[in-house]
Amino acid sequence: MMPVTRTGAVVLLGARDDAHVQEVARRLRAETVDTVVVDTRAFPERTRLSLTETLDGIVVDGREVGRPAAVYVRGLHGHPLAFGVDAREHMDADWRTTLTAFREKSALLSGLLGRWERMGVPLYNPPSSDWSLHKPAQLAALQAAGLPVPRTLWTNDAEAVRRFAREGRTVYKPVTGGAATRELREADLADERLAALAAAPVTFQELLPGENLRVYVLDGEVIASLRITSPSLDFRQREAVIEPVTPPPELTRDCVKACEVLGLRWTGMDLKRDADGVPRFLELNGSAMFLGFDARGGTDVAGHLTRALVRHARG
Ligand code: ADP
Ligand code: MG
Ligand code: MG
């Protein structure tokens, strides 16, 4: 077998002008770490990517990348609906060809990540953890591991929703995330309203009235914890107060365990306290944003993440 090329470069996978990619790249270069940005948003229009049948036969924009020291996976831009993608014109002109092209792009980029994981490259995060980013799998896996999660129902069954709502105050939100969380009202239980479930399933969840927590875990350690106080149910809706907090040891242990159960190397997770003050896991993100929290909460997720990548590069 051919020896696997070691380049020692750190690869950042995401849009070149993404603020997180830029910040991590800037910090790595300040540490004189060889840094390669694979601009996934510009692929395949501008980014040139060639993979051969050998694991390390990987060339990006004319440069052999082979087996990098570590990879920060910000985003693949692999779907018209993905964050940062604007495919409206292409979709309006020819949705079938556009979707097919995105599927091809996504298959190649996922294959690239799969090869790096196969080669033992440290990936933040590895593709083997992708299953866990689907919340119906994620929360159930956490629950099975003995971690506190809210009472939840993912369904398109109107009767199941009505039974669930009888147990107490309930919120609803998308299965995927990214849209506002709202409280379920009596009027939402009407036939006409629940008929919308024939178009798409929805998440129904016990309403957690307590404070929001955002906790970052990296390589088995809590590196930042913040409390978010907001007058509205979904803290992204209104101005919120963000401040660093020191979590109690049990919570620190639970957060590290949650990250490990899902096979994530790092994460930013959302928790919210129930009526008894118990923090329950809402979600662990596979590519959590952190610049806003660092800026407003005084944490240093960017520094911790960069130092982890630098350590791999210096081997
Ligand atoms: P997303 O993937 O969209 O971020 P989350 O589950 O993190 O989804 O929900 C977004 C926000 O909505 C949470 O951070 C929280 O402020 C609010 N929220 C979500 N679920 C509940 C709940 N069960 N009870 C009260 N608020 C919730
Ligand atoms: Mg999310
Ligand atoms: Mg969230």
mmCIF file of all heavy atoms in Angstrom, residues 42-77:
data_model
loop_
_atom_site.group_PDB
_atom_site.id
_atom_site.type_symbol
_atom_site.label_atom_id
_atom_site.label_comp_id
_atom_site.label_asym_id
_atom_site.label_seq_id
_atom_site.Cartn_x
_atom_site.Cartn_y
_atom_site.Cartn_z
ATOM 1 N N ALA A 42 -18.702 27.869 -2.838
ATOM 2 C CA ALA A 42 -18.249 28.154 -4.206
ATOM 3 C C ALA A 42 -18.047 26.870 -5.016
ATOM 4 O O ALA A 42 -17.633 26.924 -6.173
ATOM 5 C CB ALA A 42 -16.955 28.955 -4.159
ATOM 6 N N PHE A 43 -18.325 25.709 -4.414
ATOM 7 C CA PHE A 43 -18.211 24.439 -5.127
ATOM 8 C C PHE A 43 -19.574 24.034 -5.668
ATOM 9 O O PHE A 43 -20.543 24.090 -4.926
ATOM 10 C CB PHE A 43 -17.676 23.360 -4.167
ATOM 11 C CG PHE A 43 -17.575 21.996 -4.785
ATOM 12 C CD1 PHE A 43 -16.669 21.749 -5.806
ATOM 13 C CD2 PHE A 43 -18.404 20.955 -4.360
ATOM 14 C CE1 PHE A 43 -16.579 20.493 -6.388
ATOM 15 C CE2 PHE A 43 -18.315 19.702 -4.936
ATOM 16 C CZ PHE A 43 -17.402 19.475 -5.948
ATOM 17 N N PRO A 44 -19.687 23.654 -6.934
ATOM 18 C CA PRO A 44 -18.618 23.446 -7.910
ATOM 19 C C PRO A 44 -18.355 24.633 -8.850
ATOM 20 O O PRO A 44 -17.553 24.466 -9.776
ATOM 21 C CB PRO A 44 -19.151 22.251 -8.714
ATOM 22 C CG PRO A 44 -20.626 22.447 -8.719
ATOM 23 C CD PRO A 44 -20.969 23.114 -7.415
ATOM 24 N N GLU A 45 -18.993 25.785 -8.634
ATOM 25 C CA GLU A 45 -18.807 26.898 -9.584
ATOM 26 C C GLU A 45 -17.337 27.313 -9.670
ATOM 27 O O GLU A 45 -16.788 27.458 -10.753
ATOM 28 C CB GLU A 45 -19.654 28.128 -9.206
ATOM 29 C CG GLU A 45 -21.146 27.966 -9.455
ATOM 30 C CD GLU A 45 -21.861 27.332 -8.263
ATOM 31 O OE1 GLU A 45 -21.171 26.835 -7.336
ATOM 32 O OE2 GLU A 45 -23.103 27.327 -8.265
ATOM 33 N N ARG A 46 -16.706 27.525 -8.512
ATOM 34 C CA ARG A 46 -15.332 28.039 -8.536
ATOM 35 C C ARG A 46 -14.335 27.101 -7.846
ATOM 36 O O ARG A 46 -13.253 26.886 -8.359
ATOM 37 C CB ARG A 46 -15.279 29.438 -7.904
ATOM 38 C CG ARG A 46 -16.013 30.487 -8.757
ATOM 39 C CD ARG A 46 -15.967 31.869 -8.159
ATOM 40 N NE ARG A 46 -16.494 31.922 -6.806
ATOM 41 C CZ ARG A 46 -17.800 31.938 -6.524
ATOM 42 N NH1 ARG A 46 -18.695 31.883 -7.491
ATOM 43 N NH2 ARG A 46 -18.211 31.990 -5.286
ATOM 44 N N THR A 47 -14.673 26.555 -6.701
ATOM 45 C CA THR A 47 -13.757 25.635 -6.019
ATOM 46 C C THR A 47 -13.553 24.390 -6.878
ATOM 47 O O THR A 47 -14.536 23.815 -7.356
ATOM 48 C CB THR A 47 -14.342 25.214 -4.650
ATOM 49 O OG1 THR A 47 -14.620 26.381 -3.899
ATOM 50 C CG2 THR A 47 -13.378 24.297 -3.902
ATOM 51 N N ARG A 48 -12.280 23.996 -7.101
ATOM 52 C CA ARG A 48 -11.996 22.792 -7.875
ATOM 53 C C ARG A 48 -11.569 21.688 -6.932
ATOM 54 O O ARG A 48 -10.657 21.866 -6.123
ATOM 55 C CB ARG A 48 -10.877 23.052 -8.891
ATOM 56 C CG ARG A 48 -11.344 23.753 -10.168
ATOM 57 C CD ARG A 48 -10.168 24.094 -11.057
ATOM 58 N NE ARG A 48 -9.221 24.945 -10.339
ATOM 59 C CZ ARG A 48 -7.916 24.707 -10.232
ATOM 60 N NH1 ARG A 48 -7.374 23.645 -10.797
ATOM 61 N NH2 ARG A 48 -7.138 25.530 -9.556
ATOM 62 N N LEU A 49 -12.253 20.553 -7.041
ATOM 63 C CA LEU A 49 -12.031 19.435 -6.130
ATOM 64 C C LEU A 49 -11.876 18.165 -6.942
ATOM 65 O O LEU A 49 -12.713 17.871 -7.791
ATOM 66 C CB LEU A 49 -13.262 19.347 -5.222
ATOM 67 C CG LEU A 49 -13.186 18.745 -3.855
ATOM 68 C CD1 LEU A 49 -12.012 19.274 -3.059
ATOM 69 C CD2 LEU A 49 -14.487 19.063 -3.115
ATOM 70 N N SER A 50 -10.775 17.415 -6.725
ATOM 71 C CA SER A 50 -10.582 16.135 -7.409
ATOM 72 C C SER A 50 -10.221 15.058 -6.402
ATOM 73 O O SER A 50 -9.306 15.231 -5.600
ATOM 74 C CB SER A 50 -9.447 16.236 -8.434
ATOM 75 O OG SER A 50 -9.730 17.243 -9.373
ATOM 76 N N LEU A 51 -10.955 13.955 -6.460
ATOM 77 C CA LEU A 51 -10.687 12.800 -5.610
ATOM 78 C C LEU A 51 -10.393 11.607 -6.508
ATOM 79 O O LEU A 51 -11.123 11.373 -7.473
ATOM 80 C CB LEU A 51 -11.903 12.467 -4.733
ATOM 81 C CG LEU A 51 -12.067 13.201 -3.405
ATOM 82 C CD1 LEU A 51 -12.164 14.705 -3.595
ATOM 83 C CD2 LEU A 51 -13.300 12.689 -2.671
ATOM 84 N N THR A 52 -9.324 10.870 -6.203
ATOM 85 C CA THR A 52 -9.048 9.640 -6.940
ATOM 86 C C THR A 52 -9.523 8.452 -6.114
ATOM 87 O O THR A 52 -10.121 8.638 -5.048
ATOM 88 C CB THR A 52 -7.540 9.487 -7.218
ATOM 89 O OG1 THR A 52 -6.878 9.276 -5.961
ATOM 90 C CG2 THR A 52 -6.982 10.722 -7.911
ATOM 91 N N GLU A 53 -9.212 7.231 -6.584
ATOM 92 C CA GLU A 53 -9.681 6.042 -5.870
ATOM 93 C C GLU A 53 -8.856 5.744 -4.621
ATOM 94 O O GLU A 53 -9.240 4.890 -3.835
ATOM 95 C CB GLU A 53 -9.712 4.826 -6.818
ATOM 96 C CG GLU A 53 -8.373 4.175 -7.117
ATOM 97 C CD GLU A 53 -7.480 5.002 -8.033
ATOM 98 O OE1 GLU A 53 -7.906 6.081 -8.499
ATOM 99 O OE2 GLU A 53 -6.335 4.568 -8.263
ATOM 100 N N THR A 54 -7.743 6.443 -4.426
ATOM 101 C CA THR A 54 -6.983 6.215 -3.193
ATOM 102 C C THR A 54 -7.467 7.183 -2.116
ATOM 103 O O THR A 54 -7.850 8.324 -2.409
ATOM 104 C CB THR A 54 -5.462 6.417 -3.400
ATOM 105 O OG1 THR A 54 -5.253 7.724 -3.933
ATOM 106 C CG2 THR A 54 -4.892 5.383 -4.356
ATOM 107 N N LEU A 55 -7.436 6.699 -0.851
ATOM 108 C CA LEU A 55 -8.000 7.492 0.253
ATOM 109 C C LEU A 55 -7.463 8.914 0.283
ATOM 110 O O LEU A 55 -8.194 9.870 0.498
ATOM 111 C CB LEU A 55 -7.683 6.815 1.603
ATOM 112 C CG LEU A 55 -8.635 5.724 2.088
ATOM 113 C CD1 LEU A 55 -8.126 5.152 3.405
ATOM 114 C CD2 LEU A 55 -10.052 6.257 2.255
ATOM 115 N N ASP A 56 -6.159 9.062 0.084
ATOM 116 C CA ASP A 56 -5.570 10.392 0.224
ATOM 117 C C ASP A 56 -5.376 11.099 -1.122
ATOM 118 O O ASP A 56 -4.702 12.124 -1.188
ATOM 119 C CB ASP A 56 -4.243 10.325 0.979
ATOM 120 C CG ASP A 56 -3.197 9.518 0.227
ATOM 121 O OD1 ASP A 56 -3.584 8.763 -0.695
ATOM 122 O OD2 ASP A 56 -2.014 9.639 0.544
ATOM 123 N N GLY A 57 -5.999 10.570 -2.171
ATOM 124 C CA GLY A 57 -5.931 11.253 -3.469
ATOM 125 C C GLY A 57 -6.929 12.389 -3.496
ATOM 126 O O GLY A 57 -8.029 12.269 -4.039
ATOM 127 N N ILE A 58 -6.540 13.502 -2.872
ATOM 128 C CA ILE A 58 -7.467 14.633 -2.693
ATOM 129 C C ILE A 58 -6.757 15.928 -3.073
ATOM 130 O O ILE A 58 -5.768 16.317 -2.441
ATOM 131 C CB ILE A 58 -7.941 14.717 -1.220
ATOM 132 C CG1 ILE A 58 -8.680 13.433 -0.816
ATOM 133 C CG2 ILE A 58 -8.815 15.958 -1.006
ATOM 134 C CD1 ILE A 58 -8.850 13.255 0.676
ATOM 135 N N VAL A 59 -7.254 16.586 -4.117
ATOM 136 C CA VAL A 59 -6.646 17.836 -4.581
ATOM 137 C C VAL A 59 -7.701 18.949 -4.553
ATOM 138 O O VAL A 59 -8.785 18.795 -5.113
ATOM 139 C CB VAL A 59 -6.066 17.681 -6.011
ATOM 140 C CG1 VAL A 59 -5.456 19.002 -6.487
ATOM 141 C CG2 VAL A 59 -5.017 16.568 -6.041
ATOM 142 N N VAL A 60 -7.377 20.031 -3.863
ATOM 143 C CA VAL A 60 -8.281 21.170 -3.748
ATOM 144 C C VAL A 60 -7.630 22.384 -4.393
ATOM 145 O O VAL A 60 -6.533 22.789 -3.977
ATOM 146 C CB VAL A 60 -8.570 21.498 -2.269
ATOM 147 C CG1 VAL A 60 -9.545 22.675 -2.174
ATOM 148 C CG2 VAL A 60 -9.125 20.288 -1.531
ATOM 149 N N ASP A 61 -8.284 22.975 -5.387
ATOM 150 C CA ASP A 61 -7.756 24.154 -6.077
ATOM 151 C C ASP A 61 -6.278 23.968 -6.446
ATOM 152 O O ASP A 61 -5.449 24.858 -6.207
ATOM 153 C CB ASP A 61 -7.945 25.409 -5.204
ATOM 154 C CG ASP A 61 -9.431 25.768 -5.047
ATOM 155 O OD1 ASP A 61 -10.195 25.528 -6.007
ATOM 156 O OD2 ASP A 61 -9.826 26.256 -3.980
ATOM 157 N N GLY A 62 -5.970 22.786 -6.969
ATOM 158 C CA GLY A 62 -4.614 22.514 -7.445
ATOM 159 C C GLY A 62 -3.625 22.107 -6.371
ATOM 160 O O GLY A 62 -2.469 21.814 -6.652
ATOM 161 N N ARG A 63 -4.059 22.054 -5.126
ATOM 162 C CA ARG A 63 -3.154 21.717 -4.037
ATOM 163 C C ARG A 63 -3.475 20.341 -3.446
ATOM 164 O O ARG A 63 -4.624 20.038 -3.149
ATOM 165 C CB ARG A 63 -3.296 22.781 -2.939
ATOM 166 C CG ARG A 63 -2.412 22.438 -1.787
ATOM 167 C CD ARG A 63 -2.544 23.326 -0.605
ATOM 168 N NE ARG A 63 -1.869 22.620 0.476
ATOM 169 C CZ ARG A 63 -1.397 23.166 1.555
ATOM 170 N NH1 ARG A 63 -1.523 24.437 1.744
ATOM 171 N NH2 ARG A 63 -0.809 22.420 2.468
ATOM 172 N N GLU A 64 -2.446 19.477 -3.281
ATOM 173 C CA GLU A 64 -2.657 18.161 -2.665
ATOM 174 C C GLU A 64 -2.915 18.343 -1.179
ATOM 175 O O GLU A 64 -2.079 18.868 -0.451
ATOM 176 C CB GLU A 64 -1.418 17.298 -2.871
ATOM 177 C CG GLU A 64 -1.278 16.833 -4.301
ATOM 178 C CD GLU A 64 -0.384 15.609 -4.413
ATOM 179 O OE1 GLU A 64 -0.350 14.824 -3.444
ATOM 180 O OE2 GLU A 64 0.262 15.471 -5.447
ATOM 181 N N VAL A 65 -4.082 17.884 -0.745
ATOM 182 C CA VAL A 65 -4.430 18.048 0.667
ATOM 183 C C VAL A 65 -4.247 16.727 1.421
ATOM 184 O O VAL A 65 -3.873 16.718 2.595
ATOM 185 C CB VAL A 65 -5.871 18.579 0.805
ATOM 186 C CG1 VAL A 65 -6.313 18.583 2.242
ATOM 187 C CG2 VAL A 65 -5.971 19.986 0.231
ATOM 188 N N GLY A 66 -4.500 15.601 0.736
ATOM 189 C CA GLY A 66 -4.230 14.289 1.323
ATOM 190 C C GLY A 66 -4.850 14.083 2.685
ATOM 191 O O GLY A 66 -6.069 14.174 2.840
ATOM 192 N N ARG A 67 -3.971 13.838 3.670
ATOM 193 C CA ARG A 67 -4.451 13.620 5.031
ATOM 194 C C ARG A 67 -4.133 14.848 5.867
ATOM 195 O O ARG A 67 -3.008 15.020 6.333
ATOM 196 C CB ARG A 67 -3.753 12.401 5.645
ATOM 197 C CG ARG A 67 -4.261 12.060 7.030
ATOM 198 C CD ARG A 67 -3.271 11.215 7.794
ATOM 199 N NE ARG A 67 -3.799 10.792 9.081
ATOM 200 C CZ ARG A 67 -3.891 11.590 10.148
ATOM 201 N NH1 ARG A 67 -3.498 12.838 10.086
ATOM 202 N NH2 ARG A 67 -4.373 11.122 11.285
ATOM 203 N N PRO A 68 -5.117 15.744 6.079
ATOM 204 C CA PRO A 68 -4.852 16.947 6.868
ATOM 205 C C PRO A 68 -4.654 16.625 8.352
ATOM 206 O O PRO A 68 -4.992 15.524 8.802
ATOM 207 C CB PRO A 68 -6.090 17.806 6.660
ATOM 208 C CG PRO A 68 -7.116 16.946 6.033
ATOM 209 C CD PRO A 68 -6.489 15.681 5.582
ATOM 210 N N ALA A 69 -4.116 17.595 9.089
ATOM 211 C CA ALA A 69 -3.880 17.416 10.526
ATOM 212 C C ALA A 69 -5.197 17.417 11.295
ATOM 213 O O ALA A 69 -5.342 16.721 12.301
ATOM 214 C CB ALA A 69 -2.974 18.530 11.035
ATOM 215 N N ALA A 70 -6.144 18.206 10.824
ATOM 216 C CA ALA A 70 -7.462 18.310 11.455
ATOM 217 C C ALA A 70 -8.381 19.073 10.511
ATOM 218 O O ALA A 70 -7.901 19.778 9.611
ATOM 219 C CB ALA A 70 -7.376 19.034 12.796
ATOM 220 N N VAL A 71 -9.681 18.904 10.712
ATOM 221 C CA VAL A 71 -10.655 19.585 9.849
ATOM 222 C C VAL A 71 -11.749 20.231 10.701
ATOM 223 O O VAL A 71 -12.319 19.582 11.584
ATOM 224 C CB VAL A 71 -11.316 18.597 8.854
ATOM 225 C CG1 VAL A 71 -12.326 19.320 7.958
ATOM 226 C CG2 VAL A 71 -10.267 17.892 8.006
ATOM 227 N N TYR A 72 -12.018 21.512 10.449
ATOM 228 C CA TYR A 72 -13.159 22.200 11.048
ATOM 229 C C TYR A 72 -14.261 22.229 9.989
ATOM 230 O O TYR A 72 -14.087 22.825 8.929
ATOM 231 C CB TYR A 72 -12.757 23.612 11.469
ATOM 232 C CG TYR A 72 -13.905 24.537 11.836
ATOM 233 C CD1 TYR A 72 -14.934 24.132 12.685
ATOM 234 C CD2 TYR A 72 -13.965 25.837 11.334
ATOM 235 C CE1 TYR A 72 -15.979 24.986 13.021
ATOM 236 C CE2 TYR A 72 -15.003 26.711 11.667
ATOM 237 C CZ TYR A 72 -16.003 26.270 12.510
ATOM 238 O OH TYR A 72 -17.039 27.117 12.846
ATOM 239 N N VAL A 73 -15.377 21.541 10.279
ATOM 240 C CA VAL A 73 -16.481 21.447 9.317
ATOM 241 C C VAL A 73 -17.534 22.495 9.674
ATOM 242 O O VAL A 73 -18.356 22.285 10.557
ATOM 243 C CB VAL A 73 -17.118 20.030 9.330
ATOM 244 C CG1 VAL A 73 -18.181 19.933 8.238
ATOM 245 C CG2 VAL A 73 -16.064 18.958 9.168
ATOM 246 N N ARG A 74 -17.483 23.620 8.989
ATOM 247 C CA ARG A 74 -18.468 24.671 9.270
ATOM 248 C C ARG A 74 -19.778 24.376 8.553
ATOM 249 O O ARG A 74 -20.851 24.514 9.132
ATOM 250 C CB ARG A 74 -17.887 26.027 8.844
ATOM 251 C CG ARG A 74 -18.839 27.176 8.963
ATOM 252 C CD ARG A 74 -19.129 27.529 10.422
ATOM 253 N NE ARG A 74 -20.146 28.560 10.476
ATOM 254 C CZ ARG A 74 -21.358 28.389 11.001
ATOM 255 N NH1 ARG A 74 -21.689 27.252 11.565
ATOM 256 N NH2 ARG A 74 -22.229 29.370 10.996
ATOM 257 N N GLY A 75 -19.684 23.978 7.260
ATOM 258 C CA GLY A 75 -20.923 23.666 6.540
ATOM 259 C C GLY A 75 -20.627 23.217 5.126
ATOM 260 O O GLY A 75 -19.646 23.652 4.522
ATOM 261 N N LEU A 76 -21.472 22.347 4.604
ATOM 262 C CA LEU A 76 -21.248 21.805 3.258
ATOM 263 C C LEU A 76 -22.016 22.559 2.178
ATOM 264 O O LEU A 76 -21.725 22.404 1.001
ATOM 265 C CB LEU A 76 -21.658 20.321 3.214
ATOM 266 C CG LEU A 76 -20.932 19.357 4.161
ATOM 267 C CD1 LEU A 76 -21.310 17.909 3.836
ATOM 268 C CD2 LEU A 76 -19.427 19.544 4.102
ATOM 269 N N HIS A 77 -22.997 23.364 2.570
ATOM 270 C CA HIS A 77 -23.854 24.051 1.584
ATOM 271 C C HIS A 77 -24.386 23.044 0.566
ATOM 272 O O HIS A 77 -24.377 23.298 -0.633
ATOM 273 C CB HIS A 77 -23.067 25.167 0.883
ATOM 274 C CG HIS A 77 -22.568 26.205 1.847
ATOM 275 N ND1 HIS A 77 -21.324 26.170 2.405
ATOM 276 C CD2 HIS A 77 -23.175 27.284 2.379
ATOM 277 C CE1 HIS A 77 -21.172 27.192 3.238
ATOM 278 N NE2 HIS A 77 -22.282 27.885 3.240
#
